[in-house]
Amino acid sequence: TMLTVLHVMTADPLPGQGAHLFYPQIDPQEAAGYNPGDKPLDQLTWRDAMNLLHAERGTRQVAMTGGQVTVRPPQGEARAFFAPARYASADFFAIFQVPFLHGQGWSAMDDAKQSRVAVISRKLADKLYGADKAVGQSLHLGKDYFTVIGVIDDWNPEPHFYDLTHGAYADSEQVFLPLETAMALKQGTQGSTSCWGEGNMGGDMRTTDSCVWTQFWVQLDTPEAVSDYRQFLIHYSQEQKALGRFQRPPNIALHDVMGWLDVNQVVPGSVQLQALLALGFMLVCVINTVALLLVKFLRRGGELSVRRAMGASRQSVFAQLLIEASMIGVSGGIAGLLLAFGGLWIVRQQPAQYAALAHLDGTMLLGTLLLALVATLLAALFPAWRACHLPPARALKLQ
């Protein structure tokens, strides 16, 4: 049960792509309070996000922030509701491999022109128009109207790695808008904001260099590209310091998806501790199994000696005992699976954010049986070896 929870929480949310996606960090804060080795800020100012975006130093790059919009459905104003939103530049859908059910995302030209277009989730499309009829429909958000150009299929990466400010296991957004458009129309933002000095969270956040509130991801396909991007961040920080914006020495970081989750300690320490305790309990059980199998095999000394006296080799007797142990292991694995299903059901009833993830996938299903089999075979090695080295003549004489 605990290994399954640990497995699903440490899995790459973007298999095959996560190793190529990187989250850059820079430090635009004032000099006061700086200590060498301090961790840079988790987000970027608007100006820095736009500078990195337009530098186009990666295969793809996306600047974005979270938001909340008021959806006014065709059924009438009385049924208006809030929906979580994501304001992002054009590469968002490609860089995160978002699957489309109908239509497509917007282009960089739509970003530049501040086009009033939107992409919505399948769930929202079904609620408003029907997923097959959503593309081309008018979407009323607050006081503004947008044209639906795409419907994404079910997509909810876990953890919510691309923006941890909403919680590591938050649900995916339902409305996606071009970043420049959403900011120009003053659509409501939502998420973490950190300010220093004279920075404040009032007014247009794009005009302040003393608050960080945007996220940025870049796709780098080779180790050389990663190294070059680190140097670019250092040079960028030096350039901004020379211009008087940055006051601190270059303080940068660049993490891939799994590194970013590790830095933010997305896997709770309690889960890791419980997994270690479970392994410790299993070790105790294996030691106990060694003792039980030793007694079981030695009690059959007479039977094994008769086999040896009739010409059976030590190797064949040893193989027989290991096969018998493996049958015990497989039986134990099946019983363990039933207990694991029950244990995972109990985990899913807990109030923890990660509880909903506690499901046994194919990898862990096979892993459970293999673990039980291997553990039992390891436990049987010494008892089987000891039983095979009993002197047959002595055992027969005692019989």
Side-chain angles (χ1 to χ4, degrees):
T1 298
M2 293 317 305
L3 288 179
T4 297
V5 172
L6 186 64
H7 166 71
V8 298
M9 293 186 68
T10 55
D12 188 343
L14 279 182
Q17 176 75 344
H20 302 296
L21 297 186
F22 291 83
Y23 192 90
Q25 295 171 269
I26 56 179
D27 197 347
Q29 298 179 90
E30 55 192 9
Y34 172 70
N35 294 304
D38 282 351
K39 176 185 173 185
L41 295 173
D42 287 349
Q43 300 182 98
L44 300 178
T45 65
W46 173 264
R47 185 188 301 196
D48 292 325
M50 292 299 102
N51 286 344
L52 297 188
L53 180 68
H54 296 142
E56 297 184 351
R57 292 301 186 98
T59 306
R60 295 187 181 95
Q61 41 273 310
V62 57
M64 60 184 178
T65 189
Q68 181 173 267
V69 294
T70 303
V71 180
R72 304 186 185 280
Q75 294 83 356
E77 292 286 327
R79 298 190 179 184
F81 58 91
F82 293 116
R86 172 78 18 194
Y87 313 140
S89 53
D91 280 347
F92 177 87
F93 304 103
I95 202 171
F96 296 130
Q97 299 180 338
V98 181
F100 273 85
L101 187 65
H102 299 291
Q104 60 188 4
W106 54 85
S107 66
M109 184 63 70
D110 291 320
D111 276 333
K113 291 165 48 181
Q114 298 181 3
S115 300
R116 298 196 180 193
V117 293
V119 171
I120 60 177
S121 68
R122 180 175 188 167
K123 178 180 178 181
L124 182 60
D126 282 332
K127 184 175 183 178
L128 297 180
Y129 324 102
D132 296 335
K133 303 176 182 178
V135 173
Q137 296 282 356
S138 178
L139 179 65
H140 192 185
L141 303 178
K143 64 180 185 301
D144 303 306
Y145 287 88
F146 298 80
T147 300
V148 178
I149 60 172
V151 177
I152 66 172
D153 207 347
D154 296 329
W155 182 73
N156 188 31
E158 296 171 329
H160 194 263
F161 69 94
Y162 57 86
D163 184 0
L164 296 174
T165 64
H166 291 268
Y169 297 95
D171 290 333
S172 180
E173 296 80 7
Q174 296 185 43
V175 177
F176 301 83
L177 302 177
L179 179 60
E180 296 271 13
T181 305
M183 294 298 99
L185 296 176
K186 294 181 171 55
Q187 291 288 340
T189 59
Q190 190 175 51
S192 173
T193 301
S194 298
C195 298
W196 62 91
E198 298 181 358
N200 63 77
M201 292 181 282
D204 191 342
M205 295 294 290
R206 294 176 294 175
T207 62
T208 177
D209 284 339
S210 299
C211 292
V212 293
W213 54 282
T214 58
Q215 303 88 46
F216 190 88
W217 286 89
V218 59
Q219 180 179 334
L220 304 170
D221 295 328
T222 65
E224 292 77 16
V226 176
S227 178
D228 290 345
Y229 204 87
R230 290 185 194 276
Q231 289 302 313
F232 163 67
L233 292 176
I234 293 173
H235 294 156
Y236 176 79
S237 297
Q238 292 171 337
E239 178 187 67
Q240 296 302 309
K241 191 173 189 296
L243 293 172
R245 283 193 61 228
F246 289 8
Q247 299 181 27
R248 300 184 176 188
N251 182 22
I252 66 101
L254 189 63
H255 300 285
D256 63 10
V257 170
M258 297 307 295
W260 184 237
L261 295 178
D262 185 53
V263 165
N264 287 276
Q265 299 179 334
V266 169
V267 180
S270 59
V271 172
Q272 296 173 329
L273 178 60
Q274 289 170 6
L276 289 174
L277 290 174
L279 289 173
F281 180 69
M282 181 178 177
L283 179 60
V284 172
C285 293
V286 169
I287 293 173
N288 191 38
T289 302
V290 172
L292 291 172
L293 288 176
L294 184 60
V295 172
K296 173 183 174 64
F297 293 162
L298 291 181
R299 280 183 177 176
R300 296 170 58 192
E303 171 196 335
L304 299 178
S305 296
V306 169
R307 284 203 62 205
R308 288 288 310 284
M310 295 179 67
S313 65
R314 282 182 177 175
Q315 289 79 4
S316 63
V317 173
F318 184 77
Q320 174 194 342
L321 296 178
L322 288 186
I323 290 173
E324 292 178 8
S326 68
M327 297 303 295
I328 296 174
V330 171
S331 301
I334 294 173
L337 279 175
L338 298 177
L339 291 173
F341 282 121
L344 291 171
W345 179 85
I346 293 174
V347 171
R348 290 195 294 273
Q349 311 312 307
Q350 305 306 307
Q353 284 187 320
Y354 62 83
L357 301 179
H359 290 277
L360 206 64
D361 59 18
T363 300
M364 289 305 298
L365 190 69
L366 180 61
T368 300
L369 292 173
L370 288 177
L371 184 61
L373 179 60
V374 171
T376 311
L377 288 175
L378 290 175
L381 287 176
F382 174 72
W385 176 87
R386 183 70 181 84
C388 289
H389 282 75
L390 289 175
R394 181 182 175 186
L396 289 173
K397 183 177 180 181
L398 292 174
Q399 292 295 318

